[in-house]
Amino acid sequence: MDSKISVVIPVYNEEGNIIDLIDEVLPIVKKIGGEIIIVDDNSNDLSCDLILRKKDTVNESILLIKHSKKYGQSAGLLSGIKKANNNIIVTLDGDGQNDPKDIIPMLRVWEENKGDKDLLIIGHRKNRKDTWSRRYASFLAKRFRKYILSDATPDSGCGIKIFSRSLFLSLPYFDHIHRFLPALTRRNGGSVISHIVSHRNRISGVSKYSNWQRFRVGLVDLFGVSWLIKRSSFPIKLKDKEK
């Protein structure tokens, strides 16, 4: 790899997962070069204290950003990406269900396609470790996205992604943007590559969203993103690739 990375991890009440996740990410960042940016979305558990202690015990570059109130996952990504010192952004969910080992092969795909300025590489969790109801809700959301947005991305909600800082900051920001990055990337004239990744059981804590919340908010956002795409003057790329 010839470029440093900024790994951005939004966190809310993940005291049982975040330190193990940092321990997995640190060797990767040390090998490639870069930083870990953790954005705490005003957790009310020990997440912040544990992250600060970990930061004090290692010499690696760990930055903690703490929100003064709960703003949501997309705001966490925006805060972290704005503070990033490197243009290559890697995102992970803070619950530990994304496996950091997938970062290296995804970065190889990035290197193979680095001529594509506006490129998004997104994980595809073929073997999801979620409840049946959550997988079914995701299946319905995928059908709606494909019908309304012509978005055939197999796993648009996967937390592990690689893209450029400049791409993200060029997109129209709104709450829950993280669920629509493939469609918005193509709206920007960019390309999307889905990469098969592993998915792990949550070890501690609970999901921060109910299936109804995801569906209700996602449906409203779908029509908003559809409006943005229809108003776009960019050449939209409709076909995804899969690695």
Side-chain angles (χ1 to χ4, degrees):
M1 309 296 171
D2 59 6
S3 299
K4 293 182 178 181
I5 62 174
S6 292
V7 181
V8 179
I9 308 174
V11 169
Y12 177 70
N13 287 352
E14 296 292 356
E15 63 181 8
N17 300 306
I18 189 58
I19 299 304
D20 287 342
L21 182 58
I22 291 172
D23 285 339
E24 291 183 284
V25 175
L26 274 172
I28 297 170
V29 171
K30 184 176 181 180
K31 177 180 179 181
I32 298 169
E35 61 189 351
I36 301 173
I37 302 173
I38 302 171
V39 184
D40 183 273
D41 198 30
N42 198 32
S43 294
N44 53 32
D45 66 356
L46 295 175
S47 295
C48 256
D49 293 337
L50 293 172
I51 295 165
L52 285 171
R53 284 182 214 162
K54 185 68 177 180
K55 176 178 168 62
D56 289 340
T57 60
V58 297
N59 295 320
E60 309 300 328
S61 180
I62 299 177
L63 172 65
L64 173 64
I65 301 169
K66 183 171 174 60
H67 285 166
S68 59
K69 59 182 283 189
K70 191 173 185 298
Y71 290 103
Q73 186 172 347
S74 287
L77 288 174
L78 180 62
S79 294
I81 290 167
K82 280 185 171 181
K83 288 287 187 181
N85 290 305
N86 306 302
N87 192 46
I88 302 176
I89 304 295
V90 178
T91 66
L92 294 168
D93 286 340
D95 57 14
Q97 289 194 264
N98 300 139
D99 191 341
K101 289 179 182 175
D102 288 312
I103 293 174
I104 297 294
M106 289 178 73
L107 282 171
R108 292 195 189 103
V109 177
W110 176 271
E111 287 291 310
E112 292 168 2
N113 294 271
K114 62 182 178 182
D116 192 335
K117 179 174 66 72
D118 291 332
L119 172 66
L120 167 68
I121 302 174
I122 183 169
H124 176 194
R125 300 163 292 181
K126 272 198 166 180
N127 184 24
R128 290 186 63 169
K129 304 298 182 181
D130 286 324
T131 62
W132 177 88
S133 61
R134 191 166 176 183
R135 293 197 305 271
Y136 184 68
S138 294
F139 169 77
L140 288 179
K142 177 183 172 182
R143 294 294 294 269
F144 275 104
R145 280 196 307 272
K146 186 173 182 180
Y147 177 73
I148 296 173
L149 303 180
S150 297
D151 179 10
T153 306
D155 193 1
S156 187
C158 185
I160 184 166
K161 304 178 182 77
I162 298 176
F163 48 84
S164 69
R165 181 178 183 272
S166 55
L167 169 63
F168 187 88
L169 295 180
S170 73
L171 300 177
Y173 176 79
F174 55 90
D175 196 14
H176 303 110
I177 186 178
H178 63 281
R179 301 186 188 284
F180 298 95
L181 284 180
L184 291 172
T185 295
R186 290 196 303 273
R187 171 192 177 271
N188 227 43
S191 301
V192 178
I193 297 176
S194 291
H195 185 87
I196 296 173
V197 297
S198 57
H199 192 234
R200 307 186 293 194
N201 289 311
R202 175 184 269 277
I203 302 300
S204 175
V206 295
S207 173
K208 307 306 182 289
Y209 306 96
S210 70
N211 290 331
W212 169 243
Q213 281 178 306
R214 290 173 187 271
F215 180 78
R216 177 176 56 83
V217 175
L219 195 58
V220 173
D221 289 338
L222 265 176
F223 289 103
V225 174
S226 176
W227 180 87
L228 279 173
I229 289 173
K230 287 176 182 176
R231 298 289 294 173
S232 171
S233 60
F234 294 98
I236 298 172
K237 297 183 180 180
L238 296 178
K239 292 186 178 180
D240 286 354
K241 303 181 205 173
E242 180 153 8
K243 297 286 285 186

